[in-house]
Amino acid sequence: MTSVLPYGSWPSPITAAAASSSSSRVDGARFVGDDIWWGEPVPAQAGRVAVRRRGVDGQSEDVLPEPWNARSGVHEYGGGAWTAADDGTLFFVEKTDQRVYAAVAGAVRPLTAAAGDVRHGGLVWQDGVLLAVREDHTADNRVPARAIVRIPTDGSAADDPTRIATIVRGSDFLAQPALSPDGSRLAWVAWDHPHMPWERAEVRVGRIDAGRVRTWTTPASGERSVLQPRWLDDRTLLYVDDASGRWNLMRWTVGEEPPTTSFAPADADTGGGLWVLGASWYGIAGDHVVAIRTDGADHVVSIDQATGETVRIDVPAIAGTVIEDTRRGRALISGAEPTGGMGLWIVQTADGSSSAVRESSLPWADVWTPRAEPVSVDGPSGPVHAFAYPPTNPDVVAPDGERPPYVLLVHGGPTAHVGPIASARTAYLTSRGIGVLDVNYGGSTGYGRAYRERLRGQWGVVDVQDVIAAAHGLAAEGSADPDRIAIAGGSAGGWTVLGALVAGDVFRAGISRYGVGDARALAEDTHDFEARYLDGLIGPLPEAEALYIERSPLTYAERFSAPLLLLQGSEDAVVPPAQSEAIRDALAARGVPHAYVLYEGEGHGFRRAETIVHAMESEYAFLGAVFGFDTPGVTPLTLQR
């Protein structure tokens, strides 16, 4: 029998504990002999990344058991923390010391030395060669030296770091190394401060001479973002380039003119923000190229190399999709399904058929999870794209005439992207009678270069205007109770949360996870990868200092009036706790209702199961306290003043 209960107070089987342990992301995947291996975060084990494998018998088991944790600290965001050889040797970066190890049949041995403050990431195993991006903080922790290196696999460098060969350096950042099949050339991506890789990066190609690349050429450079080089043969290179306004595939042959030709262009993006070193948007599978195309949602295509004929592959993934690995005629693809589950599939490129390797495990997916409703509203800078998720519960309806509370979610980055999937966090809220609107404000990827460049020099303006426009749209069409619209976001999304709260009163509550309150403090305190990010988002210092002050939410501390929940990790090197604590102190000085929760041992993004559970329940309890509804199964939250 259907119950009638106020929005927000609906009972739900989707507990925070169930959501935290639901299908987690795939952290890399590979074909290893006849097996399939993948990385998988385990929240119940302090968020460590395990490596698992499925054999030909269909059974799965850990390759990397506790307490080992395959996680890189390069650029703080890591990526590419493990790879494997066909003989079953696992190569991985251990989180605690950032050394590279080899594991065979449970026996683990170091490959790099313990000396110095050195991190590794972006591991690549190719034709018997182990490559990595090395980040050396020994001489200068704020500005580390980076290089692409070759690590001997016999363990000789574990005691003698000079055995590690530096193949190339010569720029502030390097990523995505690729050896030509004959081993004579290296291709890689490079960029320098003050640019970020989605603003300006180039592909470089150099001949390897006595183990090193001494000179190189750049088939693609300039005011464009060039990503992910891959060799088709010893002289022909594929890469991703956004010169057309969309990230598309390009092909280049060493020494030939014209230097580049487009490869199966489309009005969609094959590419994205290079936040992590393991990012991959396409792969070469024999005679075909398997690629992701994004225009709001993701879809996967198989492209015939000879004819350019493109066939769509029917894979459930529509967001966060990654081409993990390819072999002749096969591809491993990970991503999120419409109901939020994270899966891994093997695809046959000949006919486009797919089968699940690791299925999502969301028992509530069929009836408890809302399908995304694409939304577009007009903002001052043009259309604003979003996905709406209305309250969804098969057992409860709201009283006649009541309109639901809504939470507007703001992704981080700010150069990131959300697809049309109801995450576990979203389903947790919608099943309780709280609507969710996930916004891709101007600056987001997935809609072409012009859309993401709306934020150039306008961070704190365009993003704030866009989320306010989205909230007004919700209220105007009657989807949400205008007196119960909250805004929530983390990191750069937290900055937008705080900026929107001081810019007006459309949002009656805010939730900031490790959000930025003071742009000048962020520029001074943050890590090297993002040390000059604000040059493009606001302007270079000291010339633009007045803009930094003008844009920072803390400048307008007297305008905070809506209740605010602040969640922060104690070990956050990207947005240190001092940022959240400054906001807390400003709220306390004005008597604004608030709560501040500091999670010991957590960094930039929460990984431990107990943290995730507590944070989700705290957010729900906060909304109940502010908007006046009961929160069954969750302890009420007491707000400070």
Side-chain angles (χ1 to χ4, degrees), residues 431-491:
S431 65
R432 286 167 168 76
I434 303 169
V436 171
L437 186 71
D438 228 343
V439 181
N440 282 314
Y441 50 87
S444 303
T445 52
Y447 301 95
R449 186 175 185 111
Y451 192 82
R452 70 179 187 270
E453 286 196 339
R454 286 185 190 176
L455 209 60
R456 188 167 184 82
Q458 295 298 309
W459 193 41
V461 178
V462 166
D463 52 320
V464 170
Q465 291 174 343
D466 283 358
V467 297
I468 290 174
H472 280 307
L474 270 177
E477 68 179 15
S479 298
D481 181 345
D483 293 325
R484 295 192 295 173
I485 300 178
I487 184 170
S491 189

Side-chain angles (χ1 to χ4, degrees), residues 521-540:
L522 179 66
E524 293 171 0
D525 295 340
T526 198
H527 58 123
D528 186 53
F529 178 66
E530 295 181 81
R532 302 290 299 278
Y533 192 8
L534 299 189
D535 284 30
L537 291 174
I538 300 176

